Amino acid sequence: MSDASTPVPSAQGAPKDQLDRDLIALLQANARESTANLARKLGVARTTIVARLARLEADAVIVGYTVRLGVEAAERAVQAFVGLSISPKAAKEVIRRLTRLPELRQLSSVSGEFDYMALLRTESTTRLDALLDEIGEMEGVIKTTTSVVLAVRIDRMA
């Protein structure tokens, strides 16, 4: 593939062409891949990859790099979905405090009974219990409801 691919009109914060999409797919498979290897796999210059990554990061298409656990390690972890009802005036501060929790995998604002739905992953039920206490004691958290994941049947996010 060459860097001469035709750009697709795109809004800020979205991949601009097939090279961007292919680069993102490679990074999703291995975020630690070197720019030299990415360039070789995509058939472009390393400087092209460096420039693309800089733009994708600046446009917030890529907002971080992470570690994915293998199936065995993930199965040993305890996951839970936590519905959060939060005082509207405290939402920004609660979100700021939740962001600091390494066990927080995802936080979504949702419609319905709760304001937010959090996905937590901890190494034990003891840590989950302590984490839920910590969240419940945050100023502005009105109510939490927790559902512990017993088994993951389909996972398309891995």
Side-chain angles (χ1 to χ4, degrees):
M1 179 180 289
S2 75
D3 192 31
S5 53
T6 308
V8 175
S10 174
Q12 178 93 349
K16 302 222 183 293
D17 59 21
Q18 190 61 45
L19 180 59
D20 281 356
R21 288 186 286 279
D22 292 344
L23 176 57
I24 290 167
L26 287 173
L27 287 171
Q28 286 176 316
N30 180 5
R32 292 182 52 130
E33 190 81 61
S34 71
T35 55
N37 283 341
L38 291 168
R40 185 177 42 74
K41 289 177 179 179
L42 294 172
V44 298
R46 189 187 69 75
T47 54
T48 300
I49 296 302
V50 170
R52 291 287 180 127
L53 287 172
R55 182 182 45 77
L56 290 168
E57 290 170 0
D59 289 351
V61 174
I62 296 175
V63 295
Y65 299 85
T66 189
V67 173
R68 288 189 332 224
L69 297 176
V71 173
E72 188 176 313
E75 286 177 351
R76 285 193 306 265
V78 177
Q79 292 189 99
F81 289 96
V82 181
L84 297 147
S85 295
I86 297 174
S87 168
K89 292 182 179 182
K92 282 186 179 181
E93 179 61 20
V94 170
I95 291 170
R96 188 183 66 73
R97 292 186 65 195
L98 289 171
T99 301
R100 294 184 193 157
L101 302 174
E103 296 92 347
L104 178 70
R105 306 301 301 154
Q106 187 177 65
L107 181 68
S108 302
S109 57
V110 295
S111 63
E113 181 180 352
F114 302 106
D115 300 307
Y116 296 92
M117 187 65 66
L119 175 60
L120 305 176
R121 178 182 287 151
T122 65
E123 70 276 2
S124 67
T125 55
T126 302
R127 175 62 188 142
L128 177 60
D129 185 49
L131 189 58
L132 293 171
D133 286 345
E134 185 178 338
I135 292 169
E137 292 170 2
M138 288 181 185
E139 183 76 29
V141 173
I142 299 167
K143 173 185 169 186
T144 65
T145 300
T146 304
S147 295
V148 175
V149 175
L150 301 176
V152 176
R153 302 293 184 198
I154 299 171
D155 184 359
R156 293 192 174 127
M157 292 173 47

